[in-house]
Amino acid sequence: MADALLPTITTTGYYTDARYRAYPGDGYDGVVRVSFGGYYGTGTLLYDGHAVLTSAHLFEGRTGTAYVTFQTPSGTQTVSTTKILQHPGYDAENSNNDLAIVWLPEAAPVDADRYEIYRESDEIGQVFTFSGYGGTGTGITGEIIPGGLIRHKAANQFDADAAELKDHLGPYMAWTPWPGTQLIADFDSGTSSNDALGQLIHRYDRGLGLYEGLIAQGDSGSPAFLQNKVAGVANYVATLSGGSIDPDVDDFINSSFGEIAACQRVSAHQQWIDQSLRAEYPNAPTRPEEVQKAVVEGDSGTTYAYFLLQFIGVRSDPNEILSVDYATRDGSALSGSDYLAVSGTLNLYPDENQAVMPVEIIGDSTPEPSESFYLDVFNPVGGSFGDGVVQLTAERTILNDDLWPA
């Protein structure tokens, strides 16, 4: 038997314990509350500073304005937007492709964390941290307090691909996840009796003790972090049983011990995410002669300085991804005060030979000399920079537009 619930965070210990709070400044300031049409969930600010990744089912069958709330060291700020993109392959019945991107009308607060996406396919067996604005409770009680503007966090482990669970349960599982696209975790109490995936598919694990938790209502769209990168996007909670197997501590779908949670596997959707963001970069260069090597800083918020990567060589395999790693480096301009540092991996997908990398320049009204910083590109996979070339470097100048006192 199987039932599903839109996802909050329930924890092994008492949910008021400080270990479960994600306070401003703790590294979760890009985890935001997303409200729409009388419902709310959670989202994650992505690496471009303008896009919030969340779940498509938050917007299913409704129209209107989305409200995105940030809680950062500088305070609480809510912005509104009507620009929402649901994954074109969203399949509500089976929770496949349950992803959406919400675009902010302007750059996110400077002190909001931006997150890269996890690109490897080695998630299963790894411990992740998730964070969200959902309701709270314990593994014994399940969710008992509705969510609000309090951000929590807990940990769990990716135990299996959801399609593997379907292979084992067949008709006892009412939905059909596509292979390789959904990751599942169970809520372990430390005893074998509540080890759902141990009993159901022989993935035995007793959990993480007091650090273990599970998503619940209000956590739809919340991130699962591996190495501070978004590896999963929360979608649903379920209670599963078959024959004599019944691991749920209370047989209610309430995010209690013995239930499972599923999230979209971000690494399986990275092409849609990357290309969706690239399509929205304002005034992005498409040819080398369009690249602006000097950018005016502005008086507030952030503006983009673009770097254009073009590949004109021969791919190792034209049907595979060509990737490079990149990282900004200080010159006279300093990260955190003049620009927001970035580092990550850029993919050129089959039939792509170029892409832009944006870096956010921080605006201020303080007169100062024009300053510069660098972007290093290295570690090409699927192609090369040329014989003997191991790194490419480009420079950008931030032009001061503030008047010096006479």
Side-chain angles (χ1 to χ4, degrees):
M1 180 178 63
D3 295 291
L5 171 72
L6 298 185
T8 175
I9 291 178
T10 53
T11 50
T12 300
Y14 200 62
Y15 47 86
T16 58
D17 190 318
R19 81 183 72 202
Y20 305 126
R21 288 292 301 275
Y23 295 100
D26 282 352
Y28 300 94
D29 295 336
V31 179
V32 299
R33 190 179 193 264
V34 180
S35 304
F36 185 83
Y39 295 84
Y40 81 93
T42 301
T44 312
L45 182 65
L46 294 180
Y47 52 84
D48 71 327
H50 287 71
V52 172
L53 183 64
T54 187
S55 288
H57 71 252
L58 291 175
F59 312 102
E60 184 181 359
R62 297 186 293 277
T63 59
T65 300
Y67 297 90
V68 178
T69 300
F70 290 87
Q71 291 182 305
T72 70
S74 62
T76 299
Q77 176 182 340
T78 299
V79 297
S80 63
T81 180
T82 58
K83 192 168 186 178
I84 301 164
L85 175 66
Q86 293 187 55
H87 193 293
Y90 172 48
D91 167 20
E93 181 178 354
N94 298 294
S95 292
N96 291 312
N97 297 321
D98 189 0
L99 292 172
I101 297 174
V102 177
W103 270 279
L104 304 175
E106 57 188 27
V110 170
D111 56 352
D113 296 299
R114 281 82 164 143
Y115 302 99
E116 249 289 350
I117 61 176
Y118 193 79
R119 300 182 183 277
E120 305 300 322
S121 57
D122 59 356
E123 304 96 334
I124 293 174
Q126 292 203 58
V127 173
F128 63 88
T129 300
F130 59 97
S131 179
Y133 284 90
T136 52
T138 69
I140 295 295
T141 66
E143 179 196 353
I144 56 174
I145 298 178
L149 270 179
I150 297 178
R151 187 171 53 207
H152 289 88
K153 63 182 173 69
N156 208 306
Q157 176 178 289
F158 290 128
D159 293 310
D161 183 330
E164 181 182 354
L165 187 60
K166 177 66 174 180
D167 289 342
H168 278 75
L169 296 182
Y172 291 101
M173 182 169 163
W175 64 100
T176 305
W178 290 340
T181 65
Q182 294 184 31
L183 296 166
I184 53 175
D186 60 10
F187 194 3
D188 291 298
S189 65
T191 67
S192 59
S193 60
N194 302 126
D195 182 8
L197 294 173
Q199 295 187 50
L200 293 166
I201 60 173
H202 312 299
R203 295 294 177 89
Y204 298 104
D205 179 68
R206 300 291 180 87
L208 304 171
L210 288 175
Y211 291 94
E212 179 130 326
L214 201 72
I215 57 172
Q217 292 192 59
D219 284 324
S220 289
S222 64
F225 290 116
L226 287 177
Q227 301 171 22
N228 204 39
K229 300 175 182 179
V230 187
V233 175
N235 294 135
Y236 60 86
V237 171
T239 180
L240 296 163
S241 60
S244 61
I245 298 174
D246 188 12
D248 192 342
V249 71
D250 59 12
D251 292 325
F252 294 104
I253 306 173
N254 57 2
S255 301
S256 58
F257 287 139
E259 296 182 25
I260 68 162
C263 61
Q264 296 298 305
R265 188 176 200 161
V266 168
S267 65
H269 298 284
Q270 57 184 302
Q271 181 170 351
W272 177 75
I273 295 169
D274 285 337
Q275 293 181 336
S276 295
L277 268 59
R278 291 172 192 171
E280 296 295 327
Y281 293 151
N283 304 312
T286 58
R287 302 189 305 271
E289 57 268 27
E290 296 175 351
V291 175
Q292 296 184 7
K293 298 185 178 180
V295 180
V296 176
E297 67 176 359
D299 294 329
S300 62
T302 66
T303 56
Y304 280 149
Y306 289 114
F307 295 82
L308 177 65
L309 178 71
Q310 289 186 316
F311 180 73
I312 57 175
V314 178
R315 292 178 185 252
S316 302
D317 184 337
N319 297 314
E320 295 293 330
I321 294 171
L322 187 156
S323 70
V324 295
D325 294 334
Y326 62 89
T328 49
R329 175 165 50 88
D330 286 353
S332 54
L334 303 179
S335 65
S337 58
D338 298 310
Y339 71 96
L340 294 179
V342 298
S343 63
T345 298
L346 179 131
N347 288 342
L348 293 180
Y349 297 97
D351 299 324
E352 280 188 331
N353 290 314
Q354 66 177 36
V356 294
M357 291 170 281
V359 176
E360 292 180 86
I361 306 303
I362 301 173
D364 62 43
S365 56
T366 302
E368 57 190 336
S370 294
E371 300 165 311
S372 62
F373 69 98
Y374 304 94
L375 183 80
D376 298 324
V377 179
F378 49 94
N379 189 31
V381 177
S384 71
F385 296 145
D387 290 344
V389 180
V390 297
Q391 179 173 293
L392 305 176
T393 297
E395 181 182 18
R396 292 291 177 269
T397 298
I398 303 172
L399 298 175
N400 173 65
D401 60 347
D402 303 304
L403 297 177
W404 294 88

